[in-house]
Amino acid sequence: MGTISLRGVSKVYGGARAVTALDHVDFEVAEGEFVALLGPSGCGKSTLLNLVAGFEGLSEGTLSFDNAPVTRPGPDRGVVFQEASLLPWLNVWENVVFGPKVQKLDRSDYEPRAREILKIVGLEAFHEALPVQLSGGMRQRVGIARALVMQPRALLMDEPFGALDAQTRLSMQALLLEVWQKLKTTVLFVTHDIDEAILLADRICVMTARPGRITRTIPITLPRPRSIDDLTSAEFNRFKALIMAEMRGGHH
Amino acid sequence: MAGPDTRKTTGSAAKPSLMELAGERLGRGLLAIALPLAVLVLWQLSGKNGAVAGGALPTPDRVWNAWLVWAFGKPGPMTLSPYVGTWADAIYFSAMRVAKGFGLAVLVGVPLGIIIGWSRLAASMVDPTIQWLRPVPITAWLPISIAIFGISDFGAVFLITIGAFYPIVINTTQGARDVDKNWIRAALMMGASQWDILRRVVLPAALPSIFTGLRIGLGIGWTAVIVSEMVAVKSGLGYVLWDAYYVGRMDIVIADMVSIGLFGFLSDWAIVRLERWVLKWRRLQNFNQ
Ligand SMILES: Nc1ncnc2c1ncn2[C@@H]1O[C@H](COP(=O)(O)OP(=O)(O)OP(=O)(O)O)[C@@H](O)[C@H]1O
Ligand SMILES: [Mg+2]
């Protein structure tokens, strides 16, 4: 049994015209594994992630996290949102310690950790800054820091770098690789960028739309530790060719 | 590429000199004062022997003198006029009533608005009642207020509370409803309880609209205090207004009106300052900082 486990999970959005966003999906993420969900827009990637996060309920099937059914969101699953979604009236520091604070943890326990994480993500000089005063990349780093400070059992990231420019995106990917190689947390990472998925993940699950399904799982055997230099290696390009063929060809 | 041009524009946009800033402020101040000044001058010039329109309207100089006596005059033992040295009292009574009524409206309106905006159950229970009662103007509440509270301070406070309550509760509800879904999700993900969400997410997120409600509510509060003092209480600016009219003291009537305007303006200004301070994050988001 993995940390994250979906068995025959379906999600139907009601309304005038019901939409089957996920159709009997079986999916596992093992402890310490980095899994990327790759697929075109509207195939149900966010839906799957939101179910795991506990933001939405499933229509059918079973979904468990650490062998317990998921019923609501919680600090054991740190979520990183696409637009960071920081609380704009709180400064960087207050955003990062929001979680431990509402959980009523001991200050002496989380404050050193928060300081250290802010240093790792390169924001030690920005504790007092408000989110509006930060660049998109910096905001996203706060988003990651606020998830990490809770020491979650898994990180759920929904296109966290999707709104960033190419260069910032590269530096954020490098940062995430570095952090992950240190922490080895379980990560579920949603993206529609093939390069990003290959660079980061141990395993890529390719999704297709209408109905939302996982059609293929491709293990990425590039050696670790990885760096953004791998983006140009021959092996990298073999994986890329394979996945592009998969996405173009559709079902097998 | 027009290199020098670009540099010039960014240079002056980034750092206006102190002199430029002072000049701009002075210019804006002059602009703001030009219209009222022109009206005053015209008004003064169109009068004869201290009166305009065949005596119904006193000229500004007479109003000014009446105000001086009203504000700073020392009533002797034989003084019969109530308009000697009583201005501060009138202001105090009215302002205290507004403060009490408005404070009560905030205490009830903000929490209620947050709950209506947050909980669908509360919305369907309370919102319709509020919407039905809202069209009843505060003046229509006067008889019932007098019947219940008599000619007393609390009658006025009650009317102010009712008047200020609606804009506060409605704007707070709106603000609490418009909270970004992902802020709530982020807070839940970090382990926040329902109470944390209300206090630490919904309330701050609703503050911009709450302040809109406070400003409108306070304006209505000043209307309500004048109306109720004219009818239901025997002190304050509203009472003086009506009383002075009865005894033909139009100079006091006008001085009174100007005082209401001044204190209404000051209290609104205080709220705007508070808003600028509390909503710094919001101001930084705006195009016009
Ligand atoms: N709240 C909702 N109500 C109704 N339908 C929804 C809702 N959320 C998503 N859907 C539908 O479910 C399907 C999957 O949406 P989802 O957001 O999971 O896609 P996605 O793979 O994350 O796409 P993208 O890459 O554009 O973010 C879409 O057809 C979408 O229209
Ligand atoms: Mg999505």
Side-chain angles (χ1 to χ4, degrees):
Chain A
M1 278 292 262
T3 307
I4 300 169
S5 169
L6 281 75
R7 290 264 168 274
V9 166
S10 298
K11 174 68 182 178
V12 181
Y13 286 107
R17 281 194 325 136
V19 179
T20 306
L22 292 177
D23 185 31
H24 295 94
V25 170
D26 293 310
F27 177 65
E28 300 250 332
V29 181
E31 168 108 49
E33 198 181 14
F34 196 127
V35 173
L37 274 181
L38 185 67
S41 184
C43 69
K45 305 183 295 294
S46 296
T47 303
L48 198 159
L49 187 131
N50 287 338
L51 291 181
V52 177
F55 293 149
E56 283 165 22
L58 34 154
S59 312
E60 203 182 322
T62 56
L63 162 57
S64 63
F65 182 80
D66 272 348
N67 301 318
V70 169
T71 51
R72 64 166 81 111
D76 53 348
R77 284 149 290 147
V79 180
V80 180
F81 298 83
Q82 178 167 0
E83 308 283 350
S85 296
L86 306 176
L87 300 177
W89 51 88
L90 300 181
N91 66 28
V92 167
W93 174 258
E94 292 162 336
N95 265 290
V96 170
V97 299
F98 184 95
K101 201 167 156 188
V102 295
Q103 291 167 49
K104 304 202 171 56
L105 300 184
D106 196 358
R107 255 164 196 260
S108 59
D109 165 42
Y110 67 77
E111 286 195 342
R113 189 164 71 237
R115 253 189 298 270
E116 193 197 318
I117 289 171
L118 278 169
K119 202 156 140 197
I120 292 172
V121 300
L123 289 172
E124 70 266 63
F126 293 92
H127 283 199
E128 308 286 323
L130 289 168
V132 273
Q133 297 169 311
L134 303 177
S135 71
M138 290 159 96
R139 274 199 283 268
Q140 206 46 274
R141 281 184 269 163
V142 179
I144 293 171
R146 132 180 119 172
L148 287 178
V149 80
M150 302 186 301
Q151 300 180 306
R153 295 267 299 127
L155 272 182
L156 312 176
M157 308 176 89
D158 191 356
E159 300 194 40
F161 311 141
L164 306 178
D165 61 272
Q167 206 172 335
T168 314
R169 184 173 245 241
L170 272 181
S171 72
M172 295 296 291
Q173 289 164 351
L175 174 79
L176 183 60
L177 271 179
E178 200 180 303
V179 170
W180 184 76
Q181 274 152 20
K182 224 175 284 168
L183 299 176
K184 290 276 163 43
T185 326
T186 309
V187 179
L188 177 57
F189 190 100
V190 165
T191 182
H192 52 227
D193 180 332
I194 298 175
D195 284 12
E196 185 170 72
I198 301 171
L199 176 66
L200 298 172
D202 295 321
R203 189 152 59 88
I204 296 178
C205 293
V206 180
M207 288 186 75
T208 52
R210 270 168 291 272
R213 279 195 183 130
I214 294 175
T215 48
R216 201 159 160 205
T217 297
I218 300 158
I220 305 297
T221 50
L222 290 176
R224 298 212 185 246
R226 297 179 196 162
S227 78
I228 52 174
D229 298 331
D230 291 322
L231 284 168
T232 50
S233 75
E235 226 188 325
F236 186 95
N237 281 314
R238 258 194 331 103
F239 280 114
K240 188 163 175 178
L242 178 73
I243 292 165
M244 284 179 77
E246 175 68 33
M247 293 186 82
R248 212 176 302 121
H251 310 270
H252 277 246
Chain B
M1 289 301 282
D5 265 15
T6 344
R7 215 176 319 132
K8 201 165 129 204
T9 34
T10 48
S12 67
K15 233 183 177 18
S17 77
L18 212 62
M19 283 296 285
E20 273 174 350
L21 263 179
E24 197 180 305
R25 286 198 77 148
L26 192 72
R28 249 186 297 161
L30 282 176
L31 262 181
I33 215 159
L35 183 63
L37 210 64
V39 170
L40 271 182
V41 168
L42 266 176
W43 179 7
Q44 183 70 38
L45 291 179
S46 60
K48 226 185 271 160
N49 299 329
V52 193
L57 199 64
T59 48
D61 62 327
R62 255 184 63 202
V63 173
W64 174 253
N65 288 329
W67 176 75
L68 282 178
V69 174
W70 186 21
F72 305 112
K74 293 245 171 336
M78 302 302 284
T79 308
L80 286 176
S81 165
Y83 309 122
V84 180
T86 55
W87 183 71
D89 286 346
I91 298 280
Y92 173 81
F93 285 126
S94 296
M96 280 313 283
R97 283 172 194 138
V98 172
K100 282 183 201 161
F102 179 69
L104 213 57
V106 172
L107 282 181
V108 181
V110 170
L112 193 62
I114 295 277
I115 291 166
I116 297 173
W118 179 239
S119 141
R120 218 169 275 165
L121 180 72
S124 34
M125 261 171 58
V126 194
D127 209 33
T129 312
I130 291 179
Q131 300 304 336
W132 289 328
L133 285 176
R134 191 163 67 109
V136 180
I138 37 167
T139 39
W141 285 91
L142 263 171
I144 211 170
S145 159
I146 298 174
I148 297 173
F149 302 106
I151 302 292
S152 82
D153 220 36
F154 203 80
V157 173
F158 172 74
L159 279 190
I160 297 160
T161 303
I162 294 217
F165 170 77
Y166 293 115
I168 292 175
V169 79
I170 284 163
N171 281 284
T172 305
T173 301
Q174 195 55 48
R177 251 177 212 155
D178 285 347
V179 179
D180 188 330
K181 179 169 76 180
N182 278 345
W183 293 344
I184 311 268
R185 287 183 164 182
L188 284 171
M189 170 275 286
M190 290 187 278
S193 64
Q194 286 294 310
W195 168 242
D196 287 321
I197 300 262
L198 281 184
R199 192 168 74 93
R200 295 177 193 272
V201 182
V202 179
L203 177 66
L207 271 180
S209 3
I210 292 177
F211 270 104
T212 306
L214 294 187
R215 286 186 72 182
I216 302 173
L218 190 59
I220 295 181
W222 278 101
T223 309
V225 80
I226 300 308
V227 168
S228 60
E229 284 170 350
M230 277 168 33
V231 179
V233 211
K234 297 247 166 286
S235 61
L237 288 170
Y239 172 72
V240 170
L241 194 70
W242 204 237
D243 197 54
Y245 162 74
Y246 259 111
V247 297
R249 288 292 304 273
M250 289 311 285
D251 47 358
I252 293 293
V253 166
I254 291 169
D256 192 300
M257 286 170 66
V258 174
S259 307
I260 296 167
L262 182 68
F263 279 83
F265 174 79
L266 282 180
S267 54
D268 184 62
W269 177 82
I271 288 203
V272 171
R273 295 306 299 188
L274 184 69
E275 178 179 9
R276 285 176 68 90
W277 179 67
V278 173
L279 298 182
K280 180 168 169 249
W281 60 275
R282 185 61 190 236
R283 192 150 41 90
L284 291 168
Q285 275 177 334
N286 290 344
F287 176 69
N288 277 312
Q289 288 198 7

